[in-house]
Coordinates of all heavy atoms in Angstrom, one line a residue:
M1 N 0.8 -1.2 0.0 CA 0.0 0.1 0.0 C 0.8 1.3 0.0 O 0.6 2.2 -0.7 CB -0.9 0.0 1.2 CG -1.8 1.3 1.3 SD -3.2 1.2 2.5 CE -2.3 0.7 4.0
L2 N 2.0 1.3 0.8 CA 2.8 2.4 0.8 C 3.4 2.6 -0.5 O 3.7 3.8 -1.0 CB 3.9 2.2 1.7 CG 3.4 2.5 3.3 CD1 4.6 2.2 4.2 CD2 2.9 3.8 3.4
H3 N 3.7 1.6 -1.3 CA 4.4 1.7 -2.7 C 3.3 2.5 -3.6 O 3.8 3.4 -4.3 CB 4.6 0.3 -3.2 CG 5.3 0.3 -4.5 ND1 4.5 0.4 -5.7 CD2 6.5 0.5 -5.1 CE1 5.1 0.4 -6.8 NE2 6.4 0.5 -6.4
T4 N 2.1 2.1 -3.5 CA 1.1 2.9 -4.2 C 1.0 4.3 -3.8 O 1.1 5.2 -4.7 CB -0.3 2.2 -3.9 OG1 -0.2 0.8 -4.3 CG2 -1.4 2.9 -4.8
L5 N 1.0 4.6 -2.5 CA 1.0 6.1 -2.1 C 2.1 6.8 -2.5 O 2.0 7.9 -2.8 CB 0.7 6.1 -0.6 CG -0.7 5.7 -0.2 CD1 -0.7 5.6 1.5 CD2 -1.7 6.8 -0.6
L6 N 3.3 6.2 -2.4 CA 4.5 7.0 -2.6 C 5.1 7.0 -3.9 O 6.1 7.6 -4.2 CB 5.7 6.6 -1.6 CG 5.3 6.7 -0.1 CD1 6.3 6.2 0.8 CD2 5.0 8.2 0.2
S7 N 4.6 6.3 -4.8 CA 4.9 6.1 -6.2 C 4.9 7.4 -6.9 O 3.7 8.1 -7.0 CB 4.2 5.0 -6.9 OG 4.6 5.1 -8.4
N8 N 5.9 7.8 -7.6 CA 5.8 9.1 -8.4 C 5.4 8.8 -9.8 O 5.3 9.7 -10.8 CB 7.0 9.8 -8.4 CG 8.3 9.2 -8.9 OD1 8.0 8.0 -9.2 ND2 9.3 9.9 -9.1
K9 N 5.1 7.5 -10.2 CA 4.7 6.9 -11.5 C 3.2 6.8 -11.6 O 2.6 6.6 -12.7 CB 5.4 5.7 -11.9 CG 6.9 5.9 -11.9 CD 7.5 4.6 -12.1 CE 9.1 4.7 -12.2 NZ 9.8 3.5 -12.3
V10 N 2.5 6.9 -10.5 CA 1.1 6.7 -10.5 C 0.3 8.0 -10.0 O 0.7 8.7 -9.1 CB 0.7 5.6 -9.3 CG1 -0.9 5.4 -9.3 CG2 1.4 4.2 -9.7
E11 N -0.6 8.5 -10.9 CA -1.3 9.7 -10.6 C -2.3 9.5 -9.5 O -2.7 8.4 -9.1 CB -2.1 10.1 -11.8 CG -1.3 10.5 -13.1 CD -0.5 11.7 -12.8 OE1 -0.9 12.6 -12.2 OE2 0.7 11.6 -13.4
E12 N -2.6 10.6 -8.8 CA -3.5 10.6 -7.6 C -4.8 9.9 -7.6 O -5.2 9.2 -6.8 CB -3.7 12.0 -7.1 CG -4.3 12.1 -5.7 CD -4.5 13.5 -5.1 OE1 -3.6 14.3 -5.5 OE2 -5.6 13.7 -4.4
P13 N -5.5 10.2 -8.9 CA -6.9 9.5 -9.0 C -6.7 8.0 -9.1 O -7.4 7.3 -8.5 CB -7.3 10.0 -10.4 CG -6.6 11.4 -10.5 CD -5.3 11.2 -10.0
K14 N -5.6 7.5 -9.7 CA -5.3 6.0 -9.8 C -4.9 5.7 -8.5 O -5.3 4.3 -8.1 CB -4.2 5.8 -10.7 CG -3.8 4.4 -11.0 CD -4.9 3.5 -11.5 CE -4.6 2.1 -11.9 NZ -5.6 1.3 -12.3
K15 N -4.3 6.2 -7.6 CA -3.9 5.9 -6.2 C -5.2 5.7 -5.5 O -5.3 4.7 -4.7 CB -3.0 6.8 -5.6 CG -1.6 6.8 -6.1 CD -0.8 8.0 -5.4 CE 0.6 8.0 -6.2 NZ 1.5 8.9 -5.6
R16 N -6.2 6.6 -5.5 CA -7.4 6.4 -4.9 C -8.0 5.2 -5.2 O -8.7 4.5 -4.5 CB -8.2 7.7 -5.0 CG -7.7 8.9 -4.2 CD -8.7 10.1 -4.1 NE -9.2 10.5 -5.4 CZ -8.8 11.5 -6.0 NH1 -7.8 12.3 -5.7 NH2 -9.3 11.9 -7.2
Q17 N -8.1 5.1 -6.6 CA -8.8 3.7 -7.0 C -8.3 2.5 -6.7 O -9.0 1.6 -6.1 CB -8.8 4.0 -8.6 CG -9.5 2.6 -9.3 CD -9.4 2.8 -10.8 OE1 -8.7 3.6 -11.3 NE2 -9.8 1.7 -11.5
V18 N -6.9 2.5 -6.6 CA -6.2 1.2 -6.2 C -6.6 1.1 -4.7 O -6.8 -0.1 -4.1 CB -4.7 1.4 -6.3 CG1 -3.9 0.3 -5.7 CG2 -4.4 1.3 -7.9
L19 N -6.4 2.1 -3.9 CA -6.7 2.0 -2.5 C -8.2 1.4 -2.3 O -8.4 0.6 -1.4 CB -6.6 3.3 -1.8 CG -5.1 3.6 -1.6 CD1 -5.0 5.1 -1.0 CD2 -4.2 2.7 -0.7
E20 N -9.1 2.0 -3.0 CA -10.5 1.5 -2.9 C -10.6 0.1 -3.4 O -11.3 -0.6 -2.7 CB -11.4 2.4 -3.7 CG -11.7 3.6 -3.0 CD -12.7 4.5 -3.8 OE1 -12.6 4.6 -4.9 OE2 -13.5 5.2 -3.1
E21 N -10.2 -0.3 -4.5 CA -10.4 -1.6 -5.1 C -9.6 -2.8 -4.6 O -10.0 -3.8 -4.4 CB -10.2 -1.4 -6.6 CG -11.4 -0.6 -7.4 CD -11.1 -0.4 -8.8 OE1 -10.2 -1.0 -9.3 OE2 -12.0 0.4 -9.3
E22 N -8.3 -2.4 -4.3 CA -7.5 -3.5 -3.8 C -7.3 -3.6 -2.2 O -7.1 -4.7 -1.8 CB -6.0 -3.3 -4.4 CG -6.0 -3.5 -6.0 CD -4.6 -3.4 -6.5 OE1 -3.6 -3.8 -5.8 OE2 -4.5 -3.1 -7.8
Y23 N -7.5 -2.5 -1.7 CA -7.3 -2.5 -0.2 C -8.8 -2.3 0.5 O -8.7 -2.1 1.7 CB -6.3 -1.5 0.3 CG -4.9 -1.7 -0.3 CD1 -4.6 -1.1 -1.4 CD2 -4.2 -2.8 0.2 CE1 -3.2 -1.4 -2.1 CE2 -2.9 -3.1 -0.3 CZ -2.5 -2.3 -1.3 OH -1.3 -2.7 -1.9
D24 N -9.8 -2.1 -0.1 CA -11.1 -1.9 0.3 C -11.1 -0.6 1.4 O -11.8 -0.7 2.5 CB -11.6 -3.1 1.2 CG -11.9 -4.2 0.1 OD1 -12.5 -4.0 -1.0 OD2 -11.8 -5.5 0.6
I25 N -10.4 0.3 0.9 CA -10.4 1.6 1.7 C -11.4 2.5 1.2 O -11.3 3.0 0.0 CB -9.0 2.1 1.8 CG1 -8.1 1.2 2.4 CG2 -9.0 3.6 2.5 CD1 -6.6 1.6 2.6
Q26 N -12.4 2.9 1.8 CA -13.4 3.8 1.4 C -12.8 5.3 1.4 O -12.3 5.7 2.4 CB -14.6 3.9 2.3 CG -15.4 2.5 2.3 CD -15.9 2.2 0.8 OE1 -16.4 3.0 0.1 NE2 -15.6 1.0 0.5
M27 N -13.0 6.0 0.3 CA -12.3 7.3 0.1 C -13.4 8.5 0.6 O -14.2 9.1 -0.2 CB -12.1 7.6 -1.4 CG -10.9 6.8 -1.8 SD -9.4 7.5 -1.2 CE -8.8 6.1 -0.4
S28 N -13.3 8.6 1.8 CA -14.0 9.9 2.4 C -13.4 11.1 2.0 O -12.3 11.1 1.5 CB -14.2 9.8 3.9 OG -12.8 9.7 4.6
E29 N -13.9 12.2 2.3 CA -13.3 13.4 2.1 C -11.9 13.5 2.9 O -10.9 14.0 2.2 CB -14.2 14.6 2.4 CG -13.7 16.0 2.1 CD -14.7 17.0 2.2 OE1 -15.9 16.8 2.0 OE2 -14.2 18.2 2.7
K30 N -12.0 13.1 4.1 CA -10.7 13.2 4.9 C -9.7 12.4 4.4 O -8.6 12.7 4.2 CB -11.2 12.7 6.3 CG -9.8 12.8 7.2 CD -10.3 12.3 8.7 CE -9.1 12.3 9.5 NZ -9.2 11.6 10.7
M31 N -10.1 11.1 3.9 CA -9.1 10.0 3.3 C -8.4 10.6 2.0 O -7.3 10.5 1.7 CB -9.7 8.8 3.0 CG -8.8 7.7 2.7 SD -7.5 7.4 3.7 CE -8.3 6.4 5.1
E32 N -9.4 11.2 1.2 CA -9.0 11.9 -0.1 C -7.8 13.0 0.2 O -6.9 13.1 -0.4 CB -10.1 12.5 -0.8 CG -10.8 11.4 -1.5 CD -11.9 11.9 -2.5 OE1 -11.9 13.2 -2.7 OE2 -12.7 11.1 -2.8
K33 N -8.1 13.8 1.3 CA -7.0 14.7 1.6 C -5.7 14.2 2.1 O -4.6 14.7 1.7 CB -7.7 15.8 2.7 CG -8.8 16.7 2.3 CD -9.2 17.4 3.4 CE -10.4 18.4 2.9 NZ -10.9 19.3 3.9
E34 N -5.9 13.1 2.8 CA -4.7 12.4 3.3 C -3.9 11.8 2.2 O -2.6 11.9 2.1 CB -5.0 11.4 4.2 CG -5.5 12.0 5.7 CD -6.0 11.0 6.6 OE1 -5.8 9.8 6.4 OE2 -6.4 11.3 7.7
V35 N -4.6 11.1 1.2 CA -4.0 10.6 0.1 C -3.2 11.8 -0.8 O -2.1 11.7 -1.3 CB -4.9 9.9 -0.9 CG1 -4.4 9.5 -2.2 CG2 -5.4 8.5 -0.2
S36 N -4.0 12.9 -1.0 CA -3.5 14.0 -1.7 C -2.2 14.4 -0.9 O -1.1 14.8 -1.5 CB -4.4 15.2 -1.7 OG -3.8 16.2 -2.3
A37 N -2.1 14.6 0.3 CA -1.0 14.9 1.2 C 0.2 14.0 0.9 O 1.3 14.5 0.9 CB -1.3 15.1 2.7
M38 N 0.0 12.8 0.9 CA 1.0 11.8 0.8 C 1.6 12.0 -0.7 O 2.8 11.8 -0.9 CB 0.6 10.3 0.8 CG 0.2 9.9 2.3 SD 1.7 10.0 3.4 CE 2.4 8.6 2.9
C39 N 0.7 12.2 -1.6 CA 1.1 12.4 -3.0 C 2.2 13.6 -3.1 O 3.1 13.6 -3.7 CB 0.0 12.6 -4.0 SG -1.1 11.0 -4.1
N40 N 1.7 14.7 -2.4 CA 2.4 15.9 -2.4 C 3.8 15.7 -1.8 O 4.7 16.3 -2.0 CB 1.6 17.0 -1.9 CG 0.4 17.4 -2.8 OD1 0.5 17.2 -4.0 ND2 -0.6 18.0 -2.3
L41 N 3.7 15.0 -0.7 CA 4.9 14.6 0.1 C 6.0 14.0 -0.7 O 7.3 14.5 -0.8 CB 4.6 13.8 1.3 CG 5.8 13.4 2.1 CD1 6.5 14.4 2.9 CD2 5.4 12.3 3.2
S42 N 5.6 13.0 -1.4 CA 6.6 12.2 -2.3 C 7.2 13.3 -3.3 O 8.4 13.3 -3.6 CB 6.1 11.0 -2.9 OG 5.0 11.2 -3.7
Q43 N 6.3 14.1 -4.0 CA 6.7 14.9 -5.0 C 7.6 16.0 -4.4 O 8.7 16.4 -4.9 CB 5.5 15.8 -5.7 CG 5.9 16.8 -6.7 CD 6.6 16.0 -7.9 OE1 6.2 14.8 -8.3 NE2 7.4 16.7 -8.6
G44 N 7.4 16.4 -3.1 CA 8.2 17.5 -2.5 C 9.6 16.9 -2.2 O 10.5 17.7 -2.3
I45 N 9.7 15.7 -1.9 CA 11.1 15.1 -1.6 C 11.8 14.9 -2.8 O 12.9 15.3 -2.8 CB 10.7 13.7 -0.9 CG1 10.2 13.9 0.6 CG2 12.0 12.8 -0.8 CD1 9.7 12.5 1.2
L46 N 11.1 14.5 -3.9 CA 11.7 14.4 -5.2 C 12.3 15.8 -5.6 O 13.4 16.0 -5.9 CB 10.8 13.9 -6.3 CG 11.4 13.8 -7.7 CD1 12.5 12.9 -7.7 CD2 10.3 13.4 -8.7
E47 N 11.5 16.9 -5.4 CA 11.9 18.2 -5.9 C 13.0 18.6 -5.0 O 14.0 19.4 -5.5 CB 10.7 19.1 -5.8 CG 9.7 18.9 -7.1 CD 8.5 19.7 -6.8 OE1 8.3 20.5 -5.8 OE2 7.5 19.4 -7.7
Q48 N 13.0 18.4 -3.7 CA 14.1 18.9 -2.8 C 15.5 18.2 -3.2 O 16.6 18.8 -3.5 CB 13.9 18.5 -1.4 CG 12.9 19.4 -0.8 CD 12.5 19.0 0.7 OE1 12.9 17.9 1.0 NE2 11.8 19.7 1.4
G49 N 15.4 16.9 -3.5 CA 16.6 16.2 -4.0 C 17.1 16.7 -5.4 O 18.4 16.9 -5.5
M50 N 16.3 17.1 -6.3 CA 16.6 17.6 -7.5 C 17.3 19.0 -7.3 O 18.4 19.3 -8.0 CB 15.4 17.6 -8.5 CG 15.0 16.3 -8.9 SD 13.5 16.3 -10.1 CE 14.0 17.2 -11.4
E51 N 16.8 19.8 -6.5 CA 17.3 21.2 -6.2 C 18.6 21.1 -5.6 O 19.6 21.6 -6.0 CB 16.3 21.9 -5.4 CG 16.8 23.3 -4.9 CD 17.0 24.2 -6.1 OE1 16.5 24.0 -7.2 OE2 17.6 25.3 -6.0
K52 N 18.9 20.1 -4.7 CA 20.2 19.9 -4.1 C 21.1 19.4 -5.2 O 22.3 20.0 -5.0 CB 20.1 18.9 -3.0 CG 19.5 19.4 -1.6 CD 19.4 18.3 -0.6 CE 18.7 18.8 0.6 NZ 18.7 17.7 1.7
Q53 N 20.8 18.6 -6.0 CA 21.7 18.2 -7.2 C 22.0 19.3 -8.0 O 23.1 19.5 -8.5 CB 21.1 17.1 -7.8 CG 22.0 16.5 -8.9 CD 23.2 15.9 -8.3 OE1 23.2 15.2 -7.4 NE2 24.4 16.2 -8.9
R54 N 21.0 20.2 -8.3 CA 21.3 21.4 -9.2 C 22.3 22.3 -8.6 O 23.2 22.7 -9.2 CB 20.0 22.1 -9.5 CG 20.1 23.2 -10.5 CD 18.8 24.2 -10.4 NE 18.7 24.8 -9.3 CZ 19.5 25.9 -8.8 NH1 20.5 26.4 -9.6 NH2 19.4 26.5 -7.8
I55 N 22.1 22.6 -7.3 CA 23.0 23.5 -6.5 C 24.5 22.9 -6.5 O 25.5 23.5 -6.6 CB 22.5 23.7 -5.2 CG1 21.4 24.6 -5.2 CG2 23.6 24.5 -4.3 CD1 20.5 24.8 -3.8
K56 N 24.6 21.6 -6.3 CA 25.8 20.8 -6.3 C 26.5 21.0 -7.6 O 27.7 21.3 -7.7 CB 25.6 19.5 -5.9 CG 26.9 18.6 -5.8 CD 26.7 17.2 -5.4 CE 28.0 16.4 -5.6 NZ 27.6 15.0 -5.3
D57 N 25.8 20.8 -8.7 CA 26.3 20.9 -10.0 C 26.7 22.2 -10.4 O 27.7 22.4 -11.0 CB 25.2 20.3 -11.0 CG 25.0 18.8 -10.9 OD1 25.7 18.2 -10.3 OD2 24.0 18.4 -11.6
E58 N 26.0 23.3 -9.9 CA 26.2 24.6 -10.2 C 27.7 24.9 -9.4 O 28.5 25.6 -10.1 CB 25.2 25.5 -9.7 CG 25.5 27.0 -10.0 CD 24.3 27.8 -9.7 OE1 23.2 27.8 -10.3 OE2 24.3 28.6 -8.6
R59 N 27.7 24.6 -8.3 CA 29.0 24.9 -7.6 C 30.2 24.1 -8.3 O 31.3 24.9 -8.3 CB 28.9 24.3 -6.1 CG 27.9 25.2 -5.3 CD 27.9 24.7 -3.8 NE 27.0 25.7 -3.1 CZ 26.4 25.3 -1.9 NH1 26.5 24.1 -1.6 NH2 25.6 26.1 -1.3
Q60 N 30.0 23.0 -8.7 CA 31.2 22.3 -9.4 C 31.5 23.1 -10.6 O 32.7 23.2 -11.0 CB 30.8 20.8 -9.5 CG 30.8 19.9 -8.4 CD 30.3 18.5 -8.7 OE1 29.7 18.2 -9.7 NE2 30.6 17.6 -7.8
N61 N 30.4 23.5 -11.5 CA 30.7 24.3 -12.6 C 31.5 25.5 -12.4 O 32.5 25.9 -13.1 CB 29.4 24.4 -13.5 CG 29.0 23.1 -14.1 OD1 29.8 22.3 -14.3 ND2 27.7 23.2 -14.5
I62 N 31.1 26.1 -11.3 CA 31.7 27.4 -11.0 C 33.2 27.1 -10.7 O 34.1 28.0 -11.1 CB 31.0 28.2 -9.7 CG1 29.8 28.7 -10.2 CG2 32.0 29.2 -9.2 CD1 28.8 29.1 -9.1
K63 N 33.5 26.1 -9.9 CA 34.9 25.8 -9.7 C 35.6 25.4 -10.9 O 36.9 25.9 -11.2 CB 35.0 24.5 -8.7 CG 34.6 24.8 -7.3 CD 34.6 23.6 -6.4 CE 34.2 23.9 -5.1 NZ 34.2 22.6 -4.2
R64 N 35.0 24.6 -11.8 CA 35.5 24.3 -13.2 C 35.9 25.6 -14.0 O 36.9 25.8 -14.6 CB 34.8 23.4 -14.0 CG 34.7 22.2 -13.2 CD 33.8 21.1 -14.2 NE 33.7 19.9 -13.5 CZ 32.4 19.2 -13.2 NH1 31.6 19.8 -13.5 NH2 32.6 18.0 -12.6
M65 N 35.0 26.5 -13.9 CA 35.2 27.9 -14.7 C 36.3 28.7 -14.2 O 37.2 29.2 -14.9 CB 33.8 28.7 -14.7 CG 32.7 28.2 -15.5 SD 31.3 29.3 -15.3 CE 30.0 28.3 -15.7
K66 N 36.3 28.8 -12.9 CA 37.5 29.5 -12.2 C 38.8 28.9 -12.5 O 39.8 29.6 -12.9 CB 37.3 29.5 -10.7 CG 36.2 30.4 -10.2 CD 36.1 30.5 -8.8 CE 35.2 31.5 -8.2 NZ 35.1 31.7 -6.9
K67 N 38.8 27.5 -12.6 CA 40.1 26.8 -13.0 C 40.6 27.2 -14.5 O 41.7 27.5 -14.8 CB 40.0 25.4 -12.7 CG 40.2 24.9 -11.3 CD 40.0 23.4 -11.3 CE 40.2 23.1 -9.7 NZ 40.0 21.5 -9.5
L68 N 39.5 27.2 -15.3 CA 39.9 27.5 -16.7 C 40.3 29.0 -16.9 O 41.1 29.3 -17.8 CB 38.7 27.2 -17.6 CG 38.2 25.7 -17.7 CD1 36.9 25.5 -18.3 CD2 39.3 24.9 -18.4
L69 N 39.6 29.8 -16.2 CA 39.9 31.2 -16.2 C 41.4 31.5 -15.7 O 42.2 32.1 -16.3 CB 39.0 32.0 -15.3 CG 37.6 32.4 -15.9 CD1 36.7 32.9 -14.8 CD2 37.7 33.3 -17.0
A70 N 41.8 30.8 -14.6 CA 43.1 30.9 -14.1 C 44.0 30.3 -15.0 O 45.3 30.8 -15.0 CB 43.1 30.1 -12.7
A71 N 43.7 29.3 -15.8 CA 44.6 28.7 -16.8 C 44.7 29.5 -18.1 O 45.5 29.3 -19.0 CB 44.1 27.3 -17.2
G72 N 44.0 30.7 -18.1 CA 44.1 31.5 -19.3 C 43.3 31.2 -20.5 O 43.5 31.7 -21.7
I73 N 42.2 30.3 -20.3 CA 41.4 29.9 -21.4 C 40.6 31.2 -21.8 O 40.1 31.9 -20.9 CB 40.5 28.7 -21.0 CG1 41.4 27.6 -20.5 CG2 39.6 28.3 -22.1 CD1 42.3 27.0 -21.6
D74 N 40.3 31.2 -23.1 CA 39.4 32.4 -23.6 C 38.1 32.4 -22.9 O 37.4 31.4 -22.8 CB 39.3 32.2 -25.1 CG 38.5 33.2 -25.7 OD1 38.8 34.4 -25.5 OD2 37.4 32.8 -26.4
K75 N 37.6 33.6 -22.5 CA 36.3 33.7 -21.7 C 35.1 33.4 -22.8 O 34.3 32.8 -22.2 CB 36.2 35.0 -21.2 CG 37.0 35.4 -20.0 CD 37.0 36.7 -19.6 CE 37.9 37.1 -18.3 NZ 37.8 38.4 -17.8
A76 N 35.2 33.6 -23.9 CA 34.2 33.3 -24.9 C 34.1 31.8 -24.9 O 33.0 31.2 -25.1 CB 34.5 34.0 -26.2
T77 N 35.2 31.2 -24.9 CA 35.1 29.6 -25.1 C 34.5 29.0 -23.8 O 33.6 28.1 -23.8 CB 36.6 29.0 -25.3 OG1 37.2 29.7 -26.5 CG2 36.5 27.6 -25.4
I78 N 34.9 29.6 -22.7 CA 34.4 29.0 -21.4 C 32.9 29.2 -21.3 O 32.0 28.4 -20.9 CB 35.1 29.7 -20.2 CG1 36.6 29.3 -20.2 CG2 34.4 29.2 -18.9 CD1 37.4 30.1 -19.3
A79 N 32.5 30.4 -21.7 CA 31.2 30.9 -21.7 C 30.3 29.9 -22.5 O 29.2 29.4 -22.3 CB 30.8 32.4 -22.0
N80 N 30.9 29.6 -23.8 CA 30.1 28.7 -24.7 C 30.1 27.4 -24.1 O 28.9 26.7 -24.2 CB 30.9 28.8 -26.0 CG 30.2 28.0 -27.0 OD1 28.9 28.0 -27.2 ND2 30.9 27.1 -27.9
V81 N 31.2 26.8 -23.5 CA 31.0 25.4 -23.0 C 30.1 25.3 -21.9 O 29.3 24.3 -21.8 CB 32.4 25.0 -22.6 CG1 32.5 23.8 -21.7 CG2 33.3 24.8 -23.7
F82 N 30.0 26.3 -21.1 CA 29.2 26.2 -19.8 C 27.8 26.8 -20.1 O 26.9 27.1 -19.2 CB 29.8 26.9 -18.6 CG 31.0 26.0 -18.0 CD1 32.3 26.1 -18.5 CD2 30.6 25.0 -17.2 CE1 33.2 25.3 -17.9 CE2 31.6 24.2 -16.8 CZ 32.8 24.3 -17.1
D83 N 27.6 27.3 -21.3 CA 26.2 28.0 -21.7 C 25.9 29.2 -20.7 O 24.8 29.1 -20.2 CB 25.2 26.8 -21.7 CG 23.9 27.3 -22.3 OD1 24.0 28.2 -23.4 OD2 22.8 26.8 -22.0
C84 N 26.8 30.0 -20.6 CA 26.3 31.2 -20.0 C 26.9 32.4 -20.6 O 27.7 32.2 -21.7 CB 27.2 31.2 -18.5 SG 28.9 31.3 -18.5
S85 N 26.5 33.6 -20.2 CA 26.8 34.8 -20.9 C 28.2 35.3 -20.6 O 28.7 34.9 -19.4 CB 25.9 35.9 -20.7 OG 25.9 36.2 -19.3
L86 N 28.8 36.0 -21.3 CA 30.1 36.7 -21.0 C 30.0 37.5 -19.8 O 30.9 37.6 -18.9 CB 30.7 37.5 -22.1 CG 31.2 36.6 -23.3 CD1 31.7 37.6 -24.5 CD2 32.5 35.8 -22.8
E87 N 28.8 38.2 -19.6 CA 28.6 39.0 -18.4 C 28.6 38.1 -17.2 O 29.2 38.5 -16.2 CB 27.2 39.8 -18.5 CG 27.3 40.9 -19.5 CD 27.0 40.3 -21.1 OE1 26.6 39.1 -21.1 OE2 27.4 41.0 -22.0
E88 N 28.0 37.0 -17.1 CA 27.9 36.1 -16.0 C 29.4 35.7 -15.8 O 29.9 35.6 -14.5 CB 27.0 34.9 -16.2 CG 25.6 35.3 -16.3 CD 24.7 34.2 -16.9 OE1 25.2 33.4 -17.7 OE2 23.7 34.0 -16.2
L89 N 30.2 35.3 -16.7 CA 31.5 34.8 -16.5 C 32.4 36.0 -16.0 O 33.3 35.8 -15.2 CB 32.0 34.4 -17.9 CG 33.3 33.5 -17.9 CD1 33.2 32.4 -16.8 CD2 33.8 33.0 -19.2
E90 N 32.2 37.2 -16.5 CA 33.0 38.4 -16.0 C 32.7 38.6 -14.5 O 33.6 38.8 -13.7 CB 32.6 39.6 -16.9 CG 33.2 39.8 -18.1 CD 34.7 39.9 -18.1 OE1 35.2 40.5 -17.1 OE2 35.3 39.5 -19.0
A91 N 31.3 38.5 -14.1 CA 31.1 38.7 -12.7 C 31.7 37.5 -11.8 O 32.2 37.9 -10.7 CB 29.6 38.6 -12.5
L92 N 31.7 36.2 -12.4 CA 32.4 35.3 -11.7 C 34.0 35.5 -11.5 O 34.5 35.2 -10.5 CB 32.2 34.0 -12.5 CG 32.9 32.6 -11.9 CD1 32.2 32.4 -10.5 CD2 32.7 31.4 -12.7
S93 N 34.5 36.1 -12.5 CA 36.0 36.2 -12.5 C 36.2 37.3 -11.5 O 37.4 37.4 -10.8 CB 36.5 36.5 -13.9 OG 36.0 37.8 -14.5
K94 N 35.4 38.2 -11.3 CA 35.7 39.4 -10.4 C 35.2 39.0 -8.9 O 35.8 39.6 -8.1 CB 34.8 40.6 -10.8 CG 35.2 41.2 -12.1 CD 34.4 42.4 -12.4 CE 34.8 42.9 -13.8 NZ 33.9 44.0 -14.2
N95 N 34.4 38.0 -8.8 CA 33.9 37.6 -7.4 C 34.8 36.3 -7.0 O 34.5 35.2 -7.4 CB 32.4 37.2 -7.4 CG 31.8 36.8 -6.1 OD1 32.6 36.7 -5.1 ND2 30.5 36.5 -6.1
K96 N 35.7 36.5 -6.1 CA 36.5 35.5 -5.6 C 36.0 34.7 -4.5 O 36.5 33.7 -4.1 CB 38.0 36.1 -5.3 CG 38.5 36.9 -6.4 CD 39.0 36.0 -7.5 CE 39.8 36.8 -8.5 NZ 39.9 36.1 -9.8
N97 N 34.9 35.2 -3.9 CA 34.4 34.6 -2.8 C 33.4 33.4 -2.9 O 33.0 32.7 -2.1 CB 33.5 35.6 -1.9 CG 34.4 36.7 -1.4 OD1 35.6 36.5 -1.1 ND2 34.0 37.9 -1.3
R98 N 33.0 33.2 -4.2 CA 32.1 32.2 -4.6 C 32.8 30.8 -4.6 O 33.8 30.6 -5.0 CB 31.3 32.5 -6.0 CG 30.0 33.3 -5.7 CD 29.3 33.5 -6.9 NE 28.4 32.4 -7.0 CZ 27.4 32.3 -8.0 NH1 27.4 33.1 -8.9 NH2 26.5 31.4 -8.0

């Protein structure tokens, strides 16, 4: 039953249907709210994990850019490789605290 509730591959209406048909759980208004909360919980956990990974990747890219800048690689080339603007790269090269 927990697999059904926490699955991010099953939509909420299908989850309610499975709970009713396979587990004989009547979907009162209160129960529907609880199922909805469980669905939102798993989505929230997934989004938090993705955001943490995005921040980690961004920090690693900043370190890589700084190394390339320090090595004297052309700023236009670095900006192209990391898909950022020259202005963003200039700001990064001026900001030593990041």
Side-chain angles (χ1 to χ4, degrees):
M1 180 168 50
L2 286 176
H3 180 271
T4 301
L5 283 172
L6 297 176
S7 172
N8 62 354
K9 296 178 183 173
V10 179
E11 297 292 326
E12 185 179 332
K14 181 66 176 172
K15 290 179 182 184
R16 289 195 306 262
Q17 179 185 358
V18 168
L19 290 172
E20 283 183 320
E21 294 175 2
E22 292 185 23
Y23 298 100
D24 291 324
I25 298 174
Q26 295 300 314
M27 285 292 119
S28 64
E29 189 174 317
K30 180 181 178 188
M31 185 61 74
E32 285 184 10
K33 287 180 182 178
E34 289 177 3
V35 170
S36 180
M38 289 296 290
C39 293
N40 291 335
L41 174 65
S42 62
Q43 183 63 32
I45 291 169
L46 175 65
E47 289 172 1
Q48 285 178 349
M50 291 174 64
E51 178 65 10
K52 285 181 181 179
Q53 183 63 43
R54 185 195 65 75
I55 291 169
K56 179 181 175 184
D57 291 347
E58 184 176 284
R59 287 179 179 155
Q60 288 176 341
N61 282 341
I62 289 170
K63 287 178 183 178
R64 290 178 184 128
M65 287 180 198
K66 285 183 173 183
K67 285 181 182 179
L68 292 171
L69 285 168
I73 305 297
D74 178 60
K75 290 180 182 178
T77 301
I78 298 171
N80 187 40
V81 168
F82 287 94
D83 193 30
C84 68
S85 69
L86 283 173
E87 291 80 16
E88 291 170 318
L89 193 58
E90 285 290 334
L92 177 64
S93 66
K94 291 177 184 176
N95 183 0
K96 303 295 183 192
N97 297 327
R98 272 185 94 178

